[in-house]
Amino acid sequence: WAVAMEAHLTQAAVFAAGLAAIIMKRIARFGRAAANLCTLRVGGVPEHFNIPFKDAIPTLARMGMHVQWIEQPGGTGAMTKGLRDGTLDVAIALTEGLVADLAKGNPSKLVAQYVQSPLRWGVHVRAGAAFKSISDLRGKRFGISRYGSGSHLMAFVLAQEHGWDLKEVDFVVVGGLDNARKAFVAGDIDAFMWEEFTTKPLVYSGEWRCVGVCTTPWPCFAVAVRADTLRAHGASVRRMLDVVGEYARDFQVGGKVSHLSVGRVSAEYGIQQDDAKAWFEATRWSCTCGMDTGMLSKVASVLRGVNV
């Protein structure tokens, strides 16, 4: 695992150093026509983080680039599978999940950080459960969307942070968020970790309680692209990320439409204004090509430490 990860990090460093120069030469040579020749199937979770990406799609279409957005309620595990089997060309997924799967042979490359800020994972229980804190969940059943998903990996990180024996963590594969709700009702799981603000409506309604938060010690969402897609359409990938980056800068704090962003997140995702504001003020997008190899090494080290 360590050898594979070291090789991947080396590749990432070389890729980060050379991608911009190579692609800019291609853009200079072929101009906008490079973007006209491809369709990119992009997967992402149905969450507020992806508003700028989806907003950019009509502009990309006017430039002649067909970006097909494919919602991925199954999360990062579903997207790494999509990259492997070729049903996705690009995935906007959790950094730690992508690092783990690429180290295990996924034929894709990390090309950009999408969201620079960390992710706050809410640790949830059924509203009527006796559990009052994270410490009460030692040895209990954690629902996960699938093995290799963010909910799986971060449950290990949570266990490590609280000094639990990793062998004590009991996983139950339930699928995505909707299936986790059913699993709680059926009594199949005791806890479920998911992005804190996405689950706010379930907490407001009294269906779930959040007993704590586990924050990733690294930027939360990255962009991975299949290697064959990069070879064939590298210039289009770069242009797509450039345009998405412009939309993200306008959307986030200080941007041209930031005064509308909190209300939009609140209305579209059922999050109360104060919570939407708290999420918005803590979130920073990036969308620049290249990855921080020091950060990737940190992620890999933590994953090795929890035997993932």
Side-chain angles (χ1 to χ4, degrees):
W1 195 100
V3 173
M5 176 55 66
E6 191 64 34
H8 178 70
L9 292 177
T10 300
Q11 291 175 351
V14 173
F15 182 80
L19 177 65
I22 292 172
I23 289 178
M24 289 307 294
K25 287 180 181 178
R26 289 181 180 177
I27 291 175
R29 182 178 177 186
F30 298 111
R32 188 171 293 177
N36 294 340
L37 303 177
C38 79
T39 293
L40 294 174
R41 298 163 299 170
V42 181
V45 290
E47 296 177 6
H48 32 293
F49 295 96
N50 287 321
I51 288 175
F53 207 112
K54 291 188 283 189
D55 281 354
I57 290 175
T59 295
L60 292 167
R62 287 192 292 272
M63 294 167 55
M65 188 186 306
H66 181 213
V67 175
Q68 181 184 1
W69 179 263
I70 305 173
E71 299 261 275
Q72 300 287 309
T76 295
M79 284 185 272
T80 56
K81 182 178 183 298
L83 289 172
R84 283 178 177 270
D85 63 25
T87 57
L88 292 177
D89 302 306
V90 181
I92 313 301
L94 294 171
T95 303
E96 62 271 21
L98 291 173
V99 169
D101 204 60
L102 267 61
K104 295 173 184 176
N106 189 312
S108 304
K109 302 290 183 182
L110 286 168
V111 301
Q113 200 71 56
Y114 176 56
V115 177
Q116 191 64 37
S117 47
L119 192 73
R120 289 174 57 88
W121 286 85
V123 184
H124 303 91
V125 300
R126 188 170 50 84
F131 311 117
K132 302 300 182 185
S133 66
I134 292 175
S135 60
D136 294 334
L137 295 171
R138 183 169 188 166
K140 301 304 180 183
R141 300 165 300 170
F142 276 75
I144 60 174
S145 55
R146 66 179 67 212
Y147 287 104
S149 66
S151 54
H152 173 220
L153 302 178
M154 288 306 296
F156 272 130
V157 172
L158 180 77
Q160 184 184 55
E161 287 185 356
H162 288 266
W164 302 346
D165 185 336
L166 298 181
K167 295 178 181 178
E168 293 180 309
V169 185
D170 185 14
F171 294 116
V172 179
V173 178
V174 298
L177 188 59
D178 288 341
N179 287 333
R181 298 174 68 184
K182 297 174 185 176
F184 269 130
V185 172
D188 295 333
I189 61 174
D190 300 306
F192 187 72
M193 296 180 67
W194 207 256
E195 198 273 327
E196 179 191 22
F197 293 96
T198 302
T199 55
K200 285 290 186 182
L202 298 176
V203 175
Y204 301 150
S205 70
E207 182 178 341
W208 288 8
R209 280 189 296 112
C210 183
V211 297
V213 172
C214 182
T215 302
T216 59
W218 46 70
C220 58
F221 284 102
V223 182
V225 184
R226 282 179 57 88
D228 56 358
T229 300
L230 278 175
R231 286 191 294 270
H233 304 297
S236 294
V237 170
R238 173 59 184 262
R239 185 59 179 153
M240 177 182 71
L241 293 177
D242 284 346
V243 173
V244 171
E246 292 171 8
Y247 273 84
R249 283 188 289 275
D250 287 346
F251 182 78
Q252 69 184 0
V253 172
K256 293 178 181 177
V257 297
S258 61
H259 60 292
L260 303 173
S261 300
V262 171
R264 183 177 174 189
V265 169
S266 177
E268 291 186 16
Y269 292 90
I271 302 172
Q272 293 175 3
Q273 285 272 344
D274 287 347
D275 285 328
K277 185 170 185 271
W279 169 81
F280 180 69
E281 291 180 347
T283 304
R284 294 292 181 273
W285 285 263
S286 178
C287 273
T288 55
C289 284
M291 298 289 294
D292 181 342
T293 55
M295 179 274 294
L296 292 176
S297 294
K298 180 179 180 179
V299 175
S301 177
V302 171
L303 295 179
R304 284 196 295 268
V306 295
N307 300 319
V308 174

